[in-house]
Amino acid sequence: AGDFLRGGDITGSVRVHSATLPSFFISRDEVTIGSYLEFWTSIEEVELKEEWAAYHLDSIHGRVRLWNDEGALQWPELSMQHPIVGITGEAAEAYCRWKSLTTGKRIRLPYDLEWEKAARGVDGRQYSWGNGLGDVETFFNVGGSSDFGIELLEPVGSRLRDNSIYGVRDMVGNVREITLSSLANENRSFGVKGSSCLNSLESSSCSRVEAFKDRSIDIGFRVVMENIKTWK
C-alpha cells in the first residue's frame, strides 16, 4: 500500500506523477496453460467452453484451438508451464471468478495501476530494471520475429533477470498481459500492459498501456488477490 510514481510514458505524452494504492497481492507468475485448463475442463456449457477456449489465429491455419476436447495440447512448442494465451478478456475474468470460488479469496484481473506499481516499484523508474536500454536486451524474451509466434513463447519464469523489485516475474517480455482500466467513472474496459516476445525492448516501459482489441498469441494475464480474508 502507499504512494508511487506513475506515468512518464516514453512518448512524453504522460507526465510522471504520484498515485496512491491500497494493499494488494499480485501473482508472481502469469497464469499457465495448465492452471487455465483446470478451469476450462470444469465448464459445462458447450457454448461457453467454445468461447473461453484458447485459440491461435493466423492467415495459414485460421482459428485453431491450443488443445483438443480432452485438454491435450495440439502444438508441440507448448507445455503446461507456458503462459495461457489466445483468450478474451471475458475468459480471463471467468477464470478469476472460478479461482475465487475454488480458493475462497477474491481473485480478479489487476488494474493497470496495480500492474504498473508491481513492475516498477515506487521510484518512478522507466523500466522494471531501472532506466536506459543498454546491454539488457538478452535478459528478456523480447524482439523476436516469427510467422506464428508460438515457438517464441517460453515457460513462465524462464528469464531470471525478468524479475521486478517485488519479485514479480515476466513483466517485461514473453507475453503482454490483460489488465482493467483504473480510470474513475469509466465503463469497464480491458487494457494490455508490458511487452512480449514479438515486441521491442523499448515497448516495455512500465507506464505503457494499450487497448485490448482481440485474443492474441502473445497476450496472457496474471491475477490479483484483494485481501487474505475469506470471501463469500
Side-chain angles (χ1 to χ4, degrees):
D3 299 335
F4 77 107
L5 293 176
R6 63 163 301 203
D9 187 85
I10 55 176
T11 64
S13 61
V14 180
R15 64 179 177 84
V16 177
H17 57 287
S18 180
T20 303
L21 289 176
S23 61
F24 64 94
F25 296 85
I26 192 166
S27 57
R28 181 185 65 177
D29 295 312
E30 296 143 342
V31 175
T32 63
I33 291 176
S35 181
Y36 189 87
L37 268 172
E38 289 183 52
F39 153 68
W40 186 81
T41 55
S42 73
I43 302 171
E44 296 181 354
E45 298 87 345
V46 175
E47 291 184 1
L48 289 180
K49 202 160 190 175
E50 184 72 13
E51 176 61 25
W52 291 344
Y55 295 92
H56 180 218
L57 307 174
D58 65 61
S59 58
I60 297 177
H61 295 89
R63 173 170 156 144
V64 181
R65 195 194 293 169
L66 298 191
W67 51 75
N68 62 22
D69 290 341
E70 287 70 46
L73 296 177
Q74 302 190 108
W75 295 85
E77 298 87 351
L78 297 179
S79 73
M80 293 298 178
Q81 290 305 308
H82 276 73
I84 184 65
V85 292
I87 62 170
T88 63
E90 290 78 11
E93 286 197 316
Y95 170 90
C96 290
R97 292 193 296 271
W98 169 81
K99 197 71 173 176
S100 296
L101 292 173
T102 57
T103 61
K105 314 293 187 208
R106 192 174 184 89
I107 307 295
R108 58 169 171 79
L109 289 174
Y111 287 103
D112 51 27
L113 279 188
E114 292 170 331
W115 192 100
E116 186 172 331
K117 185 175 185 180
R120 77 191 305 181
V122 301
D123 58 7
R125 62 185 62 191
Q126 189 171 358
Y127 303 97
S128 66
W129 64 86
N131 297 302
L133 299 170
D135 301 322
V136 297
E137 186 165 6
T138 57
F139 299 145
F140 310 106
N141 183 16
V142 295
S145 177
S146 167
D147 291 333
F148 304 113
I150 285 182
E151 73 276 14
L152 298 178
L153 296 175
E154 297 175 350
V156 299
S158 294
R159 303 285 178 125
L160 298 181
R161 294 291 294 272
D162 196 344
N163 200 29
S164 84
I165 192 171
Y166 296 113
V168 187
R169 305 194 296 196
D170 296 328
M171 302 197 86
V172 177
N174 210 22
V175 298
R176 296 175 287 159
E177 299 178 20
I178 304 169
T179 59
L180 294 171
S181 172
S182 296
L183 296 178
N185 301 319
E186 180 178 306
N187 293 331
R188 187 201 67 179
S189 61
F190 298 115
V192 178
K193 296 285 284 184
S195 189
S196 81
C197 57
L198 297 174
N199 298 139
S200 66
L201 187 65
E202 291 85 348
S203 300
S204 62
S205 168
C206 294
S207 60
R208 177 186 173 96
V209 61
E210 308 168 75
F212 179 53
K213 299 177 181 178
D214 198 1
R215 60 179 91 222
S216 172
I217 202 60
D218 74 328
I219 297 180
F221 72 104
R222 72 179 72 233
V223 300
V224 155
M225 183 171 68
E226 289 189 349
N227 55 57
I228 58 175
K229 296 179 181 179
T230 300
W231 177 62
K232 297 181 179 180

